[in-house]
Amino acid sequence: MQSAAAFRPCLAGQLVSRNPSRPLLAARPLRVSAAGSIATTPGLALGLLSASPDREAKSRQRQVSCGAAGDAVAAPSAEEGGGLMKTLWLGSLFGLWYLFNIYFNIYNKQVLKVFPYPINITEVQFAVGTVASLFMWITGIIKRPKISGAQLLAILPLAIVHTMGNLFTNMSLGKVAVSFTHTIKAMEPFFSVLLSAIFLGELPTVWVVVSLLPIVGGVALASLTEASFNWAGFWSAMASNVTFQSRNVLSKKLMVKKEESLDNLNLFSIITVMSFFVLAPVTLFTEGVKITPTFLQSAGLNVNQVLTRSLIAGLCFHAYQQVSYMILAMVSPVTHSVGNCVKRVVVIVTSVLFFRTPVSPINSLGTAIALAGVFLYSQLKRLKPKPKTP
């Protein structure tokens, strides 16, 4: 049933005038098209009573037309409301993305400072992610994917480089300050351009190459003045950049064929589960299983504190990556890249404040230059070269 508001303009001819005693009969009549749009062309007049004998039939026609006009007026309000809710939801996701990332870096660093076994820590994080993924599939929060053996084989290389990337990141976090690790990881665009040119033949524009200069220069300046600098932490962060960008290149190269149920969230969940099984034998044959109450107690550590912080870090690790994929599904890659740049700034600042990391003015300048270069890169990357006219 249509609302009374939809018919109100038709009752006394007040579509143009607000004065009941002076309807503007000279106003140009409006016509509602089949699509619901309003045109100012001669035709059916809204709000004007007809003097013809078939008044009753035309009155019904006017009511239908007014209903369409009411819908046309009400639609923008609904769209505005939907747009506002979408903006609020997107803003909430960005807030959660940053918050989970901050807590992951803080708790992860606290554990690695007293428990220097990055392979064990990385395996725990994949284990937590695996349990979370299975829980969401079982409960129906995420639709269980239909995937073939051929698809799993295609995803396996992505899982391997994903495992290596996260392992190298944890190795770096265990050796140097959180802020320095994330400053080095600002070099990701450099390796993205390099690997894409080598393996995909995607040559960058001159402006993209220019934007890489402040990134490289800023990281170099920050490295020269970093108080916690050591080569193991530096090269681990660099290796993380290479592996993560190799994952992106591989995903384009392999072109994993997705079914409808295999969206980005499901793909990430599958990669997490596979990474857990890929790293398990490596953990056994290298460090061994160290994160047990018996070992922690024998090392003189607070068992509950280490296990609790490891669990929280694992949950935040999986959560921030899940939220990142949700955001990527709602915005363009460029917007996501800018958001990632802002996230890195937030993580660096909060980690410096929380851990009271000593930072020199030159070190801060180098970090700022590198992050500004990343932002510039994200903006220039979307510019397409104009085709040459003959």
Side-chain angles (χ1 to χ4, degrees):
M1 181 182 295
Q2 294 179 340
S3 62
F7 297 101
R8 191 172 292 125
C10 299
L11 295 179
Q14 311 306 319
L15 183 65
V16 183
S17 175
R18 294 190 180 185
N19 188 343
S21 62
R22 296 179 61 191
L24 300 182
L25 299 178
R28 194 174 185 180
L30 301 177
R31 181 170 57 87
V32 181
S33 66
S37 60
I38 301 176
T40 56
T41 54
L44 178 64
L46 295 179
L48 302 179
L49 295 178
S50 172
S52 60
D54 55 344
R55 178 186 299 176
E56 184 176 354
K58 290 193 176 183
S59 176
R60 286 195 299 269
Q61 187 178 5
R62 282 198 306 274
Q63 289 179 354
V64 172
S65 301
C66 290
D71 292 341
V73 173
S77 299
E79 290 176 1
E80 288 174 4
L84 177 61
M85 292 303 298
K86 182 180 179 180
T87 301
L88 292 175
W89 174 241
L90 185 59
S92 300
L93 289 179
F94 269 99
L96 288 173
W97 187 23
Y98 295 174
L99 189 65
F100 286 139
N101 212 287
I102 290 169
Y103 275 101
F104 163 71
N105 281 279
I106 289 176
Y107 281 109
N108 200 35
K109 179 63 177 178
Q110 287 178 330
V111 173
L112 287 167
K113 285 174 69 175
V114 298
F115 185 78
Y117 296 95
I119 301 179
N120 272 257
I121 294 298
T122 307
E123 180 68 354
V124 167
Q125 290 164 4
F126 286 139
V128 173
T130 298
V131 173
S133 299
L134 293 175
F135 173 78
M136 287 187 286
W137 284 331
I138 293 171
T139 57
I141 297 175
I142 296 178
K143 186 178 179 181
R144 192 180 307 173
K146 297 177 182 178
I147 188 167
S148 64
Q151 285 178 313
L152 288 176
L153 286 176
I155 295 171
L156 181 59
L158 301 178
I160 292 173
V161 293
H162 178 77
T163 304
M164 294 172 63
N166 285 288
L167 177 57
F168 284 131
T169 299
N170 281 335
M171 291 172 67
S172 178
L173 287 171
K175 296 292 184 181
V176 297
V178 173
S179 56
F180 185 53
T181 295
H182 281 274
T183 300
I184 300 171
K185 285 177 71 65
M187 286 277 290
E188 284 183 352
F190 173 82
F191 291 103
S192 175
V193 171
L194 180 64
L195 294 174
S196 295
I198 294 174
F199 296 104
L200 300 179
E202 297 178 358
L203 298 179
T205 63
V206 175
W207 294 112
V208 168
V209 174
V210 169
S211 71
L212 297 177
L213 298 179
I215 297 176
V216 176
V219 170
L221 187 62
S223 300
L224 291 173
T225 56
E226 173 60 36
S228 67
F229 179 87
N230 67 67
W231 287 109
F234 176 83
W235 288 118
S236 296
M238 282 294 186
S240 172
N241 286 335
V242 174
T243 50
F244 276 132
Q245 295 312 309
S246 298
R247 178 188 62 184
N248 296 339
V249 171
L250 274 174
S251 64
K252 293 180 181 179
K253 194 77 173 176
L254 297 174
M255 294 298 292
V256 179
K257 185 179 179 181
K258 299 179 184 178
E259 297 180 10
E260 289 184 2
S261 60
L262 190 57
D263 55 11
N264 283 334
L265 284 176
N266 270 316
L267 181 59
F268 168 69
S269 298
I270 291 171
I271 288 175
T272 299
V273 175
M274 295 178 74
S275 294
F276 169 75
F277 288 106
V278 166
L279 192 59
V282 178
T283 306
L284 292 174
F285 289 109
T286 54
E287 294 178 348
V289 180
K290 294 287 194 296
I291 192 160
T292 62
T294 303
F295 180 84
L296 295 174
Q297 193 170 11
S298 65
L301 300 176
N302 187 322
V303 177
N304 290 332
Q305 188 180 74
V306 172
L307 292 178
T308 301
R309 288 177 176 177
S310 298
L311 178 61
I312 295 174
L315 288 171
C316 292
F317 168 78
H318 188 76
Y320 90 73
Q321 297 198 61
Q322 285 272 15
V323 174
S324 175
Y325 277 106
M326 292 171 66
I327 292 173
L328 187 58
M330 298 176 65
V331 301
S332 68
V334 174
T335 301
H336 188 273
S337 179
V338 173
N340 192 52
C341 180
V342 175
K343 180 209 72 178
R344 204 172 296 287
V345 174
V346 172
V347 170
I348 289 174
V349 172
T350 53
S351 66
V352 166
L353 295 176
F354 184 86
F355 293 109
R356 299 181 181 179
T357 307
V359 180
S360 68
I362 297 179
N363 184 276
S364 300
L365 178 63
T367 302
I369 291 173
L371 294 173
V374 173
F375 177 79
L376 180 63
Y377 167 84
S378 66
Q379 296 300 304
L380 294 175
K381 185 67 175 174
R382 65 181 176 178
L383 299 178
K384 303 292 184 183
K386 293 181 180 179
K388 296 180 179 179
T389 55

